Amino acid sequence: MRAVEQDLVVGVDGSEESLTAVDWAADEAVRRCVPLRIVYASAWQRYESHKPSFGVHRGPAHVFADHIIGQTVERARRRAPAVKVTSDVVAEDPATLLIRESGRGTTVVVGSRGKGELTSLLLGSVSLSVAAHAPSPVIVVRGGEKNRDSGFREVVVGVGEAGESGPAVAFALRTAEARGVVLRAVHSWRCPAHAVPEEPRAGEPTDFHQIRAEGQLGEALRGIEGGDATVSVRKDVVEGHARTALLAASASADLLVVGARRRKGHLGMQLGPVNHAVLHRAACPVAVVPHT
């Protein structure tokens, strides 16, 4: 199996969260052996003329943008000298820019919060918008330092309904291979309210619902176990809510991978409740992988 092949694009805005995202993306670019592109969305036209100035009398927005991108590129090159680092400053809305970058087949990396007045929110509006609309994987860098620095040597993937988890499982497997770590597949199940679990008979390890969940997880992982000796796969079937199981697993994970369950609402495309929960509260970076 080949390592993760998507190029990496990281969005920056000068905040500490975006600098943390740059550090994470630089390390990931080393693992994947791919270039890193740093982009900064600067709405210059909102504050100055619509035509950017390239003369000596450059406005403060231009100077600020150059400072942010210059400092960030230098930071990435110091952290990952072997990685080719390029940059771009675009006079555009940041979410629109990053969603378009995702459309080119790149993996987009963003920080968990932005610089706006609503920084008290658990997840920045730009990061949430990109995760909800990007056609390629989006990684939101969050969580503790040990999680971000691959201190647990484990990638976790949430496995949902049959037929929906393929892209997320494939992405998680490639990522685990590139890192040389364990892949832990988590599948949760709940006993329907109208069903009463039967008492297991002697010699029976669990009830029907547990057995069914184990079969669903095995089906989702069919074809990857034993096919690549470099990746050790661990199955974890948990009774309870999916968000609870994934948040618990994130505490000892370097990356949590989930499929993108997007729904059309009155505000446009929206992520499902499990995606929202892990993006806001996971203890490690989160990769949102769209369903094909």
Side-chain angles (χ1 to χ4, degrees):
M1 175 180 291
R2 293 178 301 170
V4 182
E5 67 275 3
Q6 293 99 338
D7 290 345
L8 285 174
V9 170
V10 57
V12 299
D13 61 6
S15 66
E16 285 299 321
E17 287 76 15
S18 74
L19 295 179
T20 298
V22 168
D23 291 344
W24 190 95
D27 293 343
E28 189 70 3
V30 172
R31 301 184 189 102
R32 298 185 181 198
C33 300
V34 297
L36 176 64
R37 184 161 175 254
I38 301 172
V39 296
Y40 177 83
S42 170
W44 291 336
Q45 62 270 40
R46 295 183 183 180
Y47 308 102
E48 302 178 292
S49 64
H50 288 276
K51 295 182 180 180
S53 171
F54 297 98
V56 293
H57 301 294
R58 307 178 69 223
H62 295 74
V63 174
F64 179 76
D66 285 348
H67 173 75
I68 292 297
I69 204 73
Q71 292 289 328
T72 308
V73 168
E74 182 182 356
R75 181 187 183 106
R77 287 174 175 165
R78 286 200 309 266
R79 190 173 183 96
V83 171
K84 178 182 178 182
V85 180
T86 59
S87 63
D88 199 5
V89 177
V90 183
E92 191 171 4
D93 171 76
T96 302
L97 171 62
L98 292 173
I99 292 169
R100 187 176 71 246
E101 290 290 339
S102 174
R104 296 171 178 169
T106 61
T107 295
V108 172
V109 181
V110 292
S112 61
R113 300 183 188 179
K115 289 189 64 179
E117 295 179 359
L118 300 179
T119 52
S120 60
L121 292 177
L122 294 175
L123 184 69
S125 59
V126 171
S127 301
L128 185 60
S129 179
V130 175
H133 294 87
S136 293
V138 175
I139 300 173
V140 178
V141 179
R142 57 172 299 114
E145 183 176 357
K146 185 175 180 179
N147 302 85
R148 299 194 309 268
D149 291 344
S150 300
F152 292 98
R153 299 193 58 78
E154 181 176 84
V155 171
V156 172
V157 59
V159 178
E161 298 296 329
E164 292 185 351
S165 301
V169 170
F171 182 90
L173 182 65
R174 295 194 303 265
T175 302
E177 181 192 24
R179 292 166 172 254
V181 301
V182 172
L183 173 62
R184 178 182 175 192
V186 177
H187 178 66
S188 67
W189 65 275
R190 297 181 64 200
C191 180
H194 63 274
V196 179
E198 298 179 359
E199 289 294 330
R201 298 177 183 177
E204 292 183 351
T206 185
D207 62 48
F208 166 77
H209 300 289
Q210 173 80 16
I211 295 172
R212 182 173 180 269
E214 291 172 353
Q216 290 175 333
L217 179 56
E219 182 66 25
L221 300 179
R222 180 172 295 179
I224 74 170
E225 292 183 293
D228 190 342
T230 65
V231 179
S232 175
V233 181
R234 173 186 169 190
K235 299 178 183 178
D236 196 357
V237 177
V238 182
E239 180 180 5
H241 291 282
R243 59 180 177 270
T244 303
L246 294 176
L247 289 173
S250 74
S252 59
D254 303 326
L255 180 69
L256 172 60
V257 183
V258 293
R261 292 195 173 191
R262 293 165 174 163
R263 304 183 296 187
K264 187 71 174 179
H266 67 281
L267 296 177
M269 295 302 294
Q270 301 173 31
L271 293 170
V274 174
N275 296 111
H276 269 281
V278 299
L279 285 170
H280 284 82
R281 297 168 54 196
C284 69
V286 178
V288 178
V289 181
H291 295 154
T292 54

